[in-house]
Each structure stands twice: as structure tokens, then as C-alpha cells.
Amino acid sequence: MTFESTKSLSASLEDYLQAIFWTAAAKGAARAKDIARQLGVKASSVTGALQTLAEKRFVHYQPYEAITLTAEGFDEAARVAQRHFIVREFFVTVLGLDRAVAEEEACRTEHCLGDDIAERLATLMEFVKAHPDMESGVSQLLAERYRSAEIPAQVRRGLVTVADLRSGQKAVIVAVRSGGALARRLVDMGLGRGALVEVEGAAPTGDPIRVKIRGYQLALRRTEAAVISVVGK
Amino acid sequence: MTFESTKSLSASLEDYLQAIFWTAAAKGAARAKDIARQLGVKASSVTGALQTLAEKRFVHYQPYEAITLTAEGFDEAARVAQRHFIVREFFVTVLGLDRAVAEEEACRTEHCLGDDIAERLATLMEFVKAHPDMESGVSQLLAERYRSAEIPAQVRRGLVTVADLRSGQKAVIVAVRSGGALARRLVDMGLGRGALVEVEGAAPTGDPIRVKIRGYQLALRRTEAAVISVVGK
DNA sequence: TGACGGAATTAGGCAAGACTAATAATATTG
DNA sequence: CAATATTATTAGTCTTGCCTAATTCCGTCA
């Protein structure tokens, strides 16, 4: 028994499908050469990919003839292209990325996001566009945070702290951002780089926060928790 | 001349690094067996990956001994883990995804998003949390749109239409969502499934929209444009 | 119609990353 | 301390996806 056709496509095959999609839309059909040029691969690689896609019934392929998509191939290509489009527009309009950068990132992201997420992103984008105050609020916050190329590394450090974790969550400490005595005291308590902390709970006010580290329980003031940068699990 | 260490890691090696990161945080060091179990691979695959990671100076590795991360390995692992965390939390808190689904999607997405985008997502998430009206507005919109599992396919069709495109953008038509006479008229004008349209411009009011199709220019009323589902380029 | 040039295909190689099977090292335990 | 059990490593295979080099096909033009 042979399984000659599987539904799911690799990132690479999705790229071939998209190249055919756009070329066929513009010219009626694609030639191997067009595809090779678009994807930056050699013609022989295209032949191989076409054979695989034909086995999976996504393209009409006869050696030496023009290539077109089957109905399933068209649907599949349209889905990938739609994800690409939505993700890129989201990166540009909501996250304020440069168009060229967004395009490049979208080329990778289109292969790893499900349709479901792409649709939700589109909905979010629509919502943001419909509320100009939010659009400007977000873009202003992003702009002031990423004004300088130097900033991101600083921001990254402080993005998530023990104070941001939910009850029951575990995290690894990556830095204690505080000079002098406080930092030393925290490190002495075991709260150093690489240590695993688990948030046990917090008082209703959110202060203090009970954490567990190396088996010991500890109560941290919110101000202390907020200087401990972590990576959450 | 040999190049024994390259900076960039494959998705697979990033996974190994993360597995070591979490295990080492919990137990001080990792064993090949732990890693194999976490990643669902055989022990022999782990050995291979460790050799590669050791060459790249991301892990301290001596055959048969416990495995720990180097300083660079820790940084790299923390960055991947941070992307994972941010993306998952974004999927859950902003996009309203189920935690389990979000976790799974994050496992793939962590490898294809740049740190820059992850940070911007975190900023957006922070903004949303700080504006309860936005949070509830988005979640309400998402909830009513994805109430039923049947809906997504319907939604997908109508997500992007000719009316949503910017001037100069190209797109492929995937469906004309209109019964009877209008659909027939549009298809007769060449606006059928698979056709490439290019938006030439729109009147200041956004109506009518001038498009080019197969070399011909055409003016579409906004109501017409809005029933033509496309995939944007 | 036959020869040429460009385009496409085949054949064979290489790297990554998984696997199995066999072997070697370490741990455990009587 | 030796026998056994567990864990890790090596060796060799398979698949995917790219490559180069050699060959084959097709259209054009003299």
C-alpha cells in the first residue's frame, strides 16, 4: 500500500504553490523558469517540486508543458497568500513595521500560522482601524519605545518581570535590574540569573507576591518583583 | 578554512536549546534522556544535536556527562523562550485563543518571528490590557465572529475585498459573493475566480473605485467592490 | 528540414535531521 | 566487586530539498 498524496505541505512547497498562484494569475500559466527566478532556486529544483505537487494533486503538470493549479491547489495557494497578506498588513498597520521588513517577516510567518490566527489578526486589525484613538495610542507607544535602535535590548530586559506572572506560572530569571543593596539581597535569597521561580499566589492587592524558589517560599514586595526580569514558561 | 560555528540556529536546534534551558533551570543540568522525552525524539538524535550545539559553543558537552548551557546558549535560549511566552500570551489574551491551541501554535511561531516583532506584540498586549474598553471590544468582536465553528470559512471568504485594497495594490479574485445578476455581470466583465485585479485609484469619497483587469480599465461602485473577495499581493 | 539555443528534465551528490540497531559507558544492586 | 540494567554513543539508513552536470525536448530560423 502506498500513500502517494498527503494533505499537508512543507514551507518550501507552499512557496512553490504561491509562486505559481501569482504567475498564473498574471499570465494564465507558469513556466518552470518563472518559478525558479521568483524563488531564487535552480530549474532542476523546480522540476522536483512540481513532481511532488502533482502527486499531491495541487498542480496540473506534464513534462515540458505550462503549469496550472488544480482547484485544490488554487484554494491552498490562496490560503497561504491570504495569511501572507494579512500578517504583513498587520505588521505594518498595527505594529508599525517598515513595509520591507514586514514583507520579509511575513514570508516566514505565513508558513507557521494557522488560518484561524490569521483571521483573528485580520479582525483585530479591522477593530484597530475602526477606532482611530486606539490606532494612534498604539502607534505612539510603539514609536516612543522604539525611537532609537539602542532601546530594544533595554526594553527586552524589562519586558516581563515576576510582577507580570500569573499564579502558578513558572519562569526563569534572566536579570535583576537594580543596583546595589536590593539586587544583592535578592540574589542572596537565590533569585539570581538562571534560577527557576514559581509564583504561588498574591494577596488580593497584588502585594506581596508569594513565590517558591529551590523549594523555599518567599514573599516579595511588588517593587522587588518588578525589577526581576524573567522568561515565563 | 573551516567554518565550524555559525550564529543562526535551525528551528530544531532552537527546540533542543529550549529543552535544555527549562530542564537545567529545574534540575541544574540536563540529561540526554530528559531532552529526548520532552522533544519526542530518540536519544541518538539528541546526541547529534548536542554535538552541533557544542560546536557552536551553545552548550557544555562532554560525552556521558551532564549538559549545561554556555552563557551564549543561555541568552539564545532565553530569547527563544521569551518569544514563545510573548506569542502565546498574545494569542490567549488578545486573540482569545484557547490556551492549549495557543501553546501549540506558539511552538511553531517562536522560530519564525524576530525579536523585534515579539517585543512589539508585547507592547501591544500591554496597551490592550491597559485599555479595558479595547480589550472587551476586541474580545466581543472575536467572540461574535467565531461563535460557531462553521463561521470561519464564511468569514474567510469575506475578509478582504476589492474595497479594502489600497491604490496600486494587486490581488487575485477568489470569489464573487453575490447572487444572481450582479455576480453574472461582474464575471462577464472579467472579474471571475483566479483573475488578477489592480486598483488604480479611487475618487476622494472612495466611490467609485477604478481597477484594471486584463488590460482593461473599469470603474466599480463600492457596493460592487465589496462583494468581490480577493487575496491581496 | 535540419541545426541551433533556450528551457526542462534526469542523474547523482550533499547537508540536515530524523530513525534503527549495535555497541560502549555508567549506575545500581546483590 | 561483579553482574545487570540503564543511558549514551556510534554507525549506517532514509527523506527532504537543494545543488551541479549532463542530457533531452521544443521552437525558431536559415
Side-chain angles (χ1 to χ4, degrees), chain A residues 12-13 16 35-36 40-52:
Chain A
S12 167
L13 290 180
Y16 283 101
I35 302 168
V41 298
K42 297 294 167 183
S44 56
S45 307
V46 176
T47 302
L50 288 174
Q51 288 166 349
T52 309

mmCIF file of all heavy atoms in Angstrom, chain A residues 12-13 16 35-36 40-52, chain C residues 9-12, chain D residues 17-21:
data_model
loop_
_atom_site.group_PDB
_atom_site.id
_atom_site.type_symbol
_atom_site.label_atom_id
_atom_site.label_comp_id
_atom_site.label_asym_id
_atom_site.label_seq_id
_atom_site.Cartn_x
_atom_site.Cartn_y
_atom_site.Cartn_z
ATOM 1 N N SER A 12 8.466 24.898 2.028
ATOM 2 C CA SER A 12 9.034 25.011 0.692
ATOM 3 C C SER A 12 7.976 24.803 -0.393
ATOM 4 O O SER A 12 7.872 25.585 -1.347
ATOM 5 C CB SER A 12 10.154 23.979 0.570
ATOM 6 O OG SER A 12 10.542 23.822 -0.753
ATOM 7 N N LEU A 13 7.171 23.772 -0.261
ATOM 8 C CA LEU A 13 6.140 23.516 -1.270
ATOM 9 C C LEU A 13 5.086 24.610 -1.274
ATOM 10 O O LEU A 13 4.534 24.954 -2.327
ATOM 11 C CB LEU A 13 5.499 22.143 -1.037
ATOM 12 C CG LEU A 13 6.407 20.942 -1.343
ATOM 13 C CD1 LEU A 13 5.672 19.633 -1.081
ATOM 14 C CD2 LEU A 13 6.903 20.984 -2.781
ATOM 15 N N TYR A 16 6.410 27.271 -3.511
ATOM 16 C CA TYR A 16 6.246 26.961 -4.928
ATOM 17 C C TYR A 16 4.811 27.223 -5.358
ATOM 18 O O TYR A 16 4.549 27.800 -6.408
ATOM 19 C CB TYR A 16 6.609 25.498 -5.201
ATOM 20 C CG TYR A 16 8.099 25.244 -5.244
ATOM 21 C CD1 TYR A 16 8.765 24.698 -4.168
ATOM 22 C CD2 TYR A 16 8.843 25.566 -6.379
ATOM 23 C CE1 TYR A 16 10.135 24.475 -4.204
ATOM 24 C CE2 TYR A 16 10.206 25.341 -6.426
ATOM 25 C CZ TYR A 16 10.854 24.795 -5.332
ATOM 26 O OH TYR A 16 12.201 24.579 -5.363
ATOM 27 N N ILE A 35 9.159 30.397 -12.024
ATOM 28 C CA ILE A 35 9.140 29.961 -10.633
ATOM 29 C C ILE A 35 10.543 29.982 -10.060
ATOM 30 O O ILE A 35 10.777 30.464 -8.953
ATOM 31 C CB ILE A 35 8.541 28.541 -10.543
ATOM 32 C CG1 ILE A 35 7.127 28.537 -11.127
ATOM 33 C CG2 ILE A 35 8.535 28.053 -9.108
ATOM 34 C CD1 ILE A 35 6.568 27.155 -11.353
ATOM 35 N N ALA A 36 11.489 29.463 -10.832
ATOM 36 C CA ALA A 36 12.876 29.410 -10.376
ATOM 37 C C ALA A 36 13.388 30.810 -10.057
ATOM 38 O O ALA A 36 14.017 31.044 -9.030
ATOM 39 C CB ALA A 36 13.750 28.751 -11.442
ATOM 40 N N GLY A 40 14.336 32.054 -6.387
ATOM 41 C CA GLY A 40 15.785 32.044 -6.244
ATOM 42 C C GLY A 40 16.350 30.644 -6.125
ATOM 43 O O GLY A 40 17.274 30.399 -5.357
ATOM 44 N N VAL A 41 15.784 29.703 -6.889
ATOM 45 C CA VAL A 41 16.323 28.339 -6.905
ATOM 46 C C VAL A 41 16.636 27.955 -8.349
ATOM 47 O O VAL A 41 16.278 28.688 -9.281
ATOM 48 C CB VAL A 41 15.332 27.311 -6.301
ATOM 49 C CG1 VAL A 41 15.041 27.622 -4.852
ATOM 50 C CG2 VAL A 41 14.066 27.230 -7.125
ATOM 51 N N LYS A 42 17.295 26.815 -8.532
ATOM 52 C CA LYS A 42 17.628 26.352 -9.871
ATOM 53 C C LYS A 42 16.436 25.622 -10.495
ATOM 54 O O LYS A 42 15.578 25.102 -9.762
ATOM 55 C CB LYS A 42 18.832 25.400 -9.806
ATOM 56 C CG LYS A 42 20.090 26.058 -9.304
ATOM 57 C CD LYS A 42 20.567 27.110 -10.280
ATOM 58 C CE LYS A 42 21.628 27.988 -9.645
ATOM 59 N NZ LYS A 42 22.061 29.061 -10.544
ATOM 60 N N ALA A 43 16.429 25.595 -11.805
ATOM 61 C CA ALA A 43 15.316 24.979 -12.521
ATOM 62 C C ALA A 43 15.112 23.522 -12.112
ATOM 63 O O ALA A 43 13.982 23.042 -12.037
ATOM 64 C CB ALA A 43 15.534 25.089 -14.024
ATOM 65 N N SER A 44 16.196 22.814 -11.841
ATOM 66 C CA SER A 44 16.043 21.398 -11.504
ATOM 67 C C SER A 44 15.291 21.211 -10.187
ATOM 68 O O SER A 44 14.574 20.225 -10.004
ATOM 69 C CB SER A 44 17.404 20.714 -11.430
ATOM 70 O OG SER A 44 18.244 21.371 -10.512
ATOM 71 N N SER A 45 15.440 22.165 -9.292
ATOM 72 C CA SER A 45 14.704 22.084 -8.030
ATOM 73 C C SER A 45 13.214 22.268 -8.286
ATOM 74 O O SER A 45 12.375 21.641 -7.633
ATOM 75 C CB SER A 45 15.180 23.164 -7.061
ATOM 76 O OG SER A 45 16.573 23.096 -6.909
ATOM 77 N N VAL A 46 12.910 23.119 -9.255
ATOM 78 C CA VAL A 46 11.508 23.355 -9.596
ATOM 79 C C VAL A 46 10.877 22.069 -10.123
ATOM 80 O O VAL A 46 9.781 21.690 -9.713
ATOM 81 C CB VAL A 46 11.378 24.486 -10.637
ATOM 82 C CG1 VAL A 46 9.930 24.658 -11.047
ATOM 83 C CG2 VAL A 46 11.938 25.784 -10.077
ATOM 84 N N THR A 47 11.581 21.395 -11.009
ATOM 85 C CA THR A 47 11.053 20.141 -11.549
ATOM 86 C C THR A 47 10.704 19.180 -10.413
ATOM 87 O O THR A 47 9.623 18.593 -10.387
ATOM 88 C CB THR A 47 12.078 19.478 -12.480
ATOM 89 O OG1 THR A 47 12.403 20.387 -13.528
ATOM 90 C CG2 THR A 47 11.519 18.208 -13.093
ATOM 91 N N GLY A 48 11.618 19.043 -9.483
ATOM 92 C CA GLY A 48 11.379 18.153 -8.354
ATOM 93 C C GLY A 48 10.141 18.537 -7.568
ATOM 94 O O GLY A 48 9.298 17.699 -7.257
ATOM 95 N N ALA A 49 10.022 19.819 -7.279
ATOM 96 C CA ALA A 49 8.881 20.296 -6.501
ATOM 97 C C ALA A 49 7.581 20.076 -7.267
ATOM 98 O O ALA A 49 6.563 19.692 -6.681
ATOM 99 C CB ALA A 49 9.060 21.773 -6.167
ATOM 100 N N LEU A 50 7.619 20.302 -8.579
ATOM 101 C CA LEU A 50 6.407 20.133 -9.380
ATOM 102 C C LEU A 50 5.942 18.686 -9.372
ATOM 103 O O LEU A 50 4.744 18.403 -9.332
ATOM 104 C CB LEU A 50 6.664 20.586 -10.823
ATOM 105 C CG LEU A 50 6.790 22.095 -11.013
ATOM 106 C CD1 LEU A 50 7.195 22.425 -12.435
ATOM 107 C CD2 LEU A 50 5.480 22.792 -10.657
ATOM 108 N N GLN A 51 6.910 17.778 -9.390
ATOM 109 C CA GLN A 51 6.535 16.365 -9.354
ATOM 110 C C GLN A 51 5.843 16.021 -8.045
ATOM 111 O O GLN A 51 4.839 15.313 -8.027
ATOM 112 C CB GLN A 51 7.786 15.500 -9.579
ATOM 113 C CG GLN A 51 8.249 15.584 -11.023
ATOM 114 C CD GLN A 51 9.652 15.036 -11.242
ATOM 115 O OE1 GLN A 51 10.382 14.771 -10.291
ATOM 116 N NE2 GLN A 51 10.022 14.880 -12.507
ATOM 117 N N THR A 52 6.371 16.567 -6.970
ATOM 118 C CA THR A 52 5.734 16.330 -5.675
ATOM 119 C C THR A 52 4.342 16.943 -5.629
ATOM 120 O O THR A 52 3.377 16.314 -5.185
ATOM 121 C CB THR A 52 6.590 16.925 -4.550
ATOM 122 O OG1 THR A 52 7.930 16.460 -4.694
ATOM 123 C CG2 THR A 52 6.070 16.511 -3.189
ATOM 124 P P DT C 9 10.073 19.970 -16.610
ATOM 125 O OP1 DT C 9 8.781 19.275 -16.737
ATOM 126 O OP2 DT C 9 10.373 20.793 -15.427
ATOM 127 O "O5'" DT C 9 11.214 18.873 -16.783
ATOM 128 C "C5'" DT C 9 11.142 17.984 -17.902
ATOM 129 C "C4'" DT C 9 12.270 16.966 -17.849
ATOM 130 O "O4'" DT C 9 13.529 17.658 -17.982
ATOM 131 C "C3'" DT C 9 12.336 16.199 -16.533
ATOM 132 O "O3'" DT C 9 12.196 14.812 -16.811
ATOM 133 C "C2'" DT C 9 13.685 16.556 -15.940
ATOM 134 C "C1'" DT C 9 14.476 17.049 -17.141
ATOM 135 N N1 DT C 9 15.477 18.105 -16.807
ATOM 136 C C2 DT C 9 16.800 17.894 -17.081
ATOM 137 O O2 DT C 9 17.220 16.873 -17.594
ATOM 138 N N3 DT C 9 17.639 18.926 -16.734
ATOM 139 C C4 DT C 9 17.279 20.127 -16.147
ATOM 140 O O4 DT C 9 18.125 20.982 -15.886
ATOM 141 C C5 DT C 9 15.874 20.289 -15.888
ATOM 142 C C7 DT C 9 15.357 21.547 -15.248
ATOM 143 C C6 DT C 9 15.039 19.285 -16.215
ATOM 144 P P DT C 10 12.164 13.745 -15.655
ATOM 145 O OP1 DT C 10 11.311 12.627 -16.082
ATOM 146 O OP2 DT C 10 11.927 14.448 -14.380
ATOM 147 O "O5'" DT C 10 13.676 13.243 -15.635
ATOM 148 C "C5'" DT C 10 14.183 12.506 -16.737
ATOM 149 C "C4'" DT C 10 15.664 12.236 -16.518
ATOM 150 O "O4'" DT C 10 16.364 13.485 -16.344
ATOM 151 C "C3'" DT C 10 15.962 11.407 -15.263
ATOM 152 O "O3'" DT C 10 16.764 10.305 -15.666
ATOM 153 C "C2'" DT C 10 16.699 12.356 -14.338
ATOM 154 C "C1'" DT C 10 17.319 13.345 -15.324
ATOM 155 N N1 DT C 10 17.564 14.713 -14.787
ATOM 156 C C2 DT C 10 18.827 15.234 -14.877
ATOM 157 O O2 DT C 10 19.769 14.616 -15.346
ATOM 158 N N3 DT C 10 18.959 16.501 -14.387
ATOM 159 C C4 DT C 10 17.966 17.287 -13.833
ATOM 160 O O4 DT C 10 18.218 18.428 -13.433
ATOM 161 C C5 DT C 10 16.668 16.689 -13.760
ATOM 162 C C7 DT C 10 15.526 17.443 -13.183
ATOM 163 C C6 DT C 10 16.519 15.438 -14.239
ATOM 164 P P DA C 11 17.019 9.087 -14.729
ATOM 165 O OP1 DA C 11 16.959 7.895 -15.621
ATOM 166 O OP2 DA C 11 16.136 9.163 -13.550
ATOM 167 O "O5'" DA C 11 18.530 9.306 -14.248
ATOM 168 C "C5'" DA C 11 19.501 9.799 -15.167
ATOM 169 C "C4'" DA C 11 20.801 10.095 -14.417
ATOM 170 O "O4'" DA C 11 20.834 11.499 -14.048
ATOM 171 C "C3'" DA C 11 20.983 9.317 -13.114
ATOM 172 O "O3'" DA C 11 22.350 8.941 -13.007
ATOM 173 C "C2'" DA C 11 20.583 10.318 -12.047
ATOM 174 C "C1'" DA C 11 21.103 11.610 -12.656
ATOM 175 N N9 DA C 11 20.446 12.817 -12.178
ATOM 176 C C8 DA C 11 19.115 12.985 -11.907
ATOM 177 N N7 DA C 11 18.808 14.197 -11.501
ATOM 178 C C5 DA C 11 20.024 14.863 -11.513
ATOM 179 C C6 DA C 11 20.377 16.188 -11.185
ATOM 180 N N6 DA C 11 19.502 17.097 -10.783
ATOM 181 N N1 DA C 11 21.682 16.533 -11.311
ATOM 182 C C2 DA C 11 22.556 15.612 -11.728
ATOM 183 N N3 DA C 11 22.343 14.335 -12.064
ATOM 184 C C4 DA C 11 21.038 14.027 -11.933
ATOM 185 P P DG C 12 22.856 7.923 -11.896
ATOM 186 O OP1 DG C 12 23.783 6.995 -12.561
ATOM 187 O OP2 DG C 12 21.691 7.430 -11.139
ATOM 188 O "O5'" DG C 12 23.726 8.851 -10.938
ATOM 189 C "C5'" DG C 12 24.712 9.713 -11.491
ATOM 190 C "C4'" DG C 12 25.157 10.682 -10.415
ATOM 191 O "O4'" DG C 12 24.190 11.765 -10.299
ATOM 192 C "C3'" DG C 12 25.242 10.063 -9.019
ATOM 193 O "O3'" DG C 12 26.382 10.589 -8.371
ATOM 194 C "C2'" DG C 12 23.956 10.515 -8.368
ATOM 195 C "C1'" DG C 12 23.895 11.929 -8.931
ATOM 196 N N9 DG C 12 22.623 12.601 -8.755
ATOM 197 C C8 DG C 12 21.352 12.076 -8.785
ATOM 198 N N7 DG C 12 20.424 12.964 -8.549
ATOM 199 C C5 DG C 12 21.121 14.150 -8.352
ATOM 200 C C6 DG C 12 20.670 15.451 -8.052
ATOM 201 O O6 DG C 12 19.511 15.837 -7.904
ATOM 202 N N1 DG C 12 21.727 16.351 -7.927
ATOM 203 C C2 DG C 12 23.044 16.026 -8.077
ATOM 204 N N2 DG C 12 23.925 17.023 -7.916
ATOM 205 N N3 DG C 12 23.494 14.820 -8.360
ATOM 206 C C4 DG C 12 22.476 13.936 -8.475
ATOM 207 P P DG D 17 10.515 19.265 1.214
ATOM 208 O OP1 DG D 17 9.746 20.249 1.988
ATOM 209 O OP2 DG D 17 9.894 18.541 0.077
ATOM 210 O "O5'" DG D 17 11.814 19.993 0.675
ATOM 211 C "C5'" DG D 17 12.675 20.670 1.575
ATOM 212 C "C4'" DG D 17 13.939 21.033 0.834
ATOM 213 O "O4'" DG D 17 14.778 19.872 0.698
ATOM 214 C "C3'" DG D 17 13.683 21.534 -0.600
ATOM 215 O "O3'" DG D 17 14.406 22.734 -0.829
ATOM 216 C "C2'" DG D 17 14.195 20.405 -1.462
ATOM 217 C "C1'" DG D 17 15.323 19.890 -0.592
ATOM 218 N N9 DG D 17 15.811 18.567 -0.968
ATOM 219 C C8 DG D 17 15.096 17.545 -1.531
ATOM 220 N N7 DG D 17 15.825 16.498 -1.805
ATOM 221 C C5 DG D 17 17.103 16.851 -1.391
ATOM 222 C C6 DG D 17 18.317 16.133 -1.439
ATOM 223 O O6 DG D 17 18.527 14.995 -1.857
ATOM 224 N N1 DG D 17 19.380 16.868 -0.925
ATOM 225 C C2 DG D 17 19.271 18.144 -0.424
ATOM 226 N N2 DG D 17 20.390 18.705 0.031
ATOM 227 N N3 DG D 17 18.137 18.829 -0.373
ATOM 228 C C4 DG D 17 17.102 18.137 -0.877
ATOM 229 P P DC D 18 13.949 23.717 -1.992
ATOM 230 O OP1 DC D 18 13.425 24.923 -1.357
ATOM 231 O OP2 DC D 18 13.126 22.939 -2.945
ATOM 232 O "O5'" DC D 18 15.303 24.028 -2.784
ATOM 233 C "C5'" DC D 18 16.351 24.711 -2.162
ATOM 234 C "C4'" DC D 18 17.670 23.998 -2.320
ATOM 235 O "O4'" DC D 18 17.541 22.585 -2.106
ATOM 236 C "C3'" DC D 18 18.331 24.021 -3.693
ATOM 237 O "O3'" DC D 18 18.892 25.285 -3.978
ATOM 238 C "C2'" DC D 18 19.413 22.969 -3.499
ATOM 239 C "C1'" DC D 18 18.756 21.987 -2.546
ATOM 240 N N1 DC D 18 18.448 20.678 -3.181
ATOM 241 C C2 DC D 18 19.477 19.737 -3.314
ATOM 242 O O2 DC D 18 20.603 20.025 -2.904
ATOM 243 N N3 DC D 18 19.211 18.543 -3.886
ATOM 244 C C4 DC D 18 17.982 18.274 -4.322
ATOM 245 N N4 DC D 18 17.761 17.066 -4.861
ATOM 246 C C5 DC D 18 16.919 19.225 -4.197
ATOM 247 C C6 DC D 18 17.191 20.407 -3.634
ATOM 248 P P DC D 19 19.260 25.697 -5.482
ATOM 249 O OP1 DC D 19 19.578 27.136 -5.459
ATOM 250 O OP2 DC D 19 18.210 25.180 -6.395
ATOM 251 O "O5'" DC D 19 20.596 24.861 -5.765
ATOM 252 C "C5'" DC D 19 21.779 25.131 -5.018
ATOM 253 C "C4'" DC D 19 22.809 24.059 -5.324
ATOM 254 O "O4'" DC D 19 22.244 22.773 -5.006
ATOM 255 C "C3'" DC D 19 23.185 23.948 -6.795
ATOM 256 O "O3'" DC D 19 24.315 24.785 -7.031
ATOM 257 C "C2'" DC D 19 23.577 22.488 -6.939
ATOM 258 C "C1'" DC D 19 22.777 21.791 -5.870
ATOM 259 N N1 DC D 19 21.638 20.957 -6.385
ATOM 260 C C2 DC D 19 21.911 19.639 -6.774
ATOM 261 O O2 DC D 19 23.065 19.227 -6.710
ATOM 262 N N3 DC D 19 20.894 18.863 -7.214
ATOM 263 C C4 DC D 19 19.649 19.357 -7.267
ATOM 264 N N4 DC D 19 18.680 18.543 -7.691
ATOM 265 C C5 DC D 19 19.356 20.705 -6.891
ATOM 266 C C6 DC D 19 20.370 21.467 -6.466
ATOM 267 P P DT D 20 24.637 25.201 -8.561
ATOM 268 O OP1 DT D 20 25.447 26.433 -8.435
ATOM 269 O OP2 DT D 20 23.389 25.208 -9.337
ATOM 270 O "O5'" DT D 20 25.546 24.039 -9.167
ATOM 271 C "C5'" DT D 20 26.554 23.387 -8.401
ATOM 272 C "C4'" DT D 20 27.087 22.195 -9.186
ATOM 273 O "O4'" DT D 20 26.093 21.129 -9.172
ATOM 274 C "C3'" DT D 20 27.362 22.482 -10.664
ATOM 275 O "O3'" DT D 20 28.576 21.826 -11.035
ATOM 276 C "C2'" DT D 20 26.163 21.910 -11.395
ATOM 277 C "C1'" DT D 20 25.786 20.726 -10.497
ATOM 278 N N1 DT D 20 24.343 20.405 -10.508
ATOM 279 C C2 DT D 20 23.964 19.103 -10.762
ATOM 280 O O2 DT D 20 24.750 18.210 -10.995
ATOM 281 N N3 DT D 20 22.606 18.890 -10.738
ATOM 282 C C4 DT D 20 21.625 19.821 -10.497
ATOM 283 O O4 DT D 20 20.446 19.510 -10.501
ATOM 284 C C5 DT D 20 22.096 21.170 -10.234
ATOM 285 C C7 DT D 20 21.116 22.265 -9.951
ATOM 286 C C6 DT D 20 23.416 21.397 -10.255
ATOM 287 P P DA D 21 29.234 22.170 -12.441
ATOM 288 O OP1 DA D 21 30.683 22.267 -12.192
ATOM 289 O OP2 DA D 21 28.505 23.274 -13.083
ATOM 290 O "O5'" DA D 21 28.948 20.833 -13.278
ATOM 291 C "C5'" DA D 21 28.900 19.583 -12.613
ATOM 292 C "C4'" DA D 21 28.491 18.497 -13.596
ATOM 293 O "O4'" DA D 21 27.059 18.280 -13.484
ATOM 294 C "C3'" DA D 21 28.747 18.818 -15.071
ATOM 295 O "O3'" DA D 21 29.132 17.616 -15.720
ATOM 296 C "C2'" DA D 21 27.395 19.337 -15.557
ATOM 297 C "C1'" DA D 21 26.436 18.460 -14.746
ATOM 298 N N9 DA D 21 25.129 19.048 -14.502
ATOM 299 C C8 DA D 21 24.826 20.366 -14.258
ATOM 300 N N7 DA D 21 23.545 20.594 -14.072
ATOM 301 C C5 DA D 21 22.964 19.329 -14.198
ATOM 302 C C6 DA D 21 21.626 18.896 -14.110
ATOM 303 N N6 DA D 21 20.602 19.702 -13.850
ATOM 304 N N1 DA D 21 21.399 17.578 -14.279
ATOM 305 C C2 DA D 21 22.435 16.757 -14.525
ATOM 306 N N3 DA D 21 23.730 17.060 -14.634
ATOM 307 C C4 DA D 21 23.926 18.376 -14.455
#
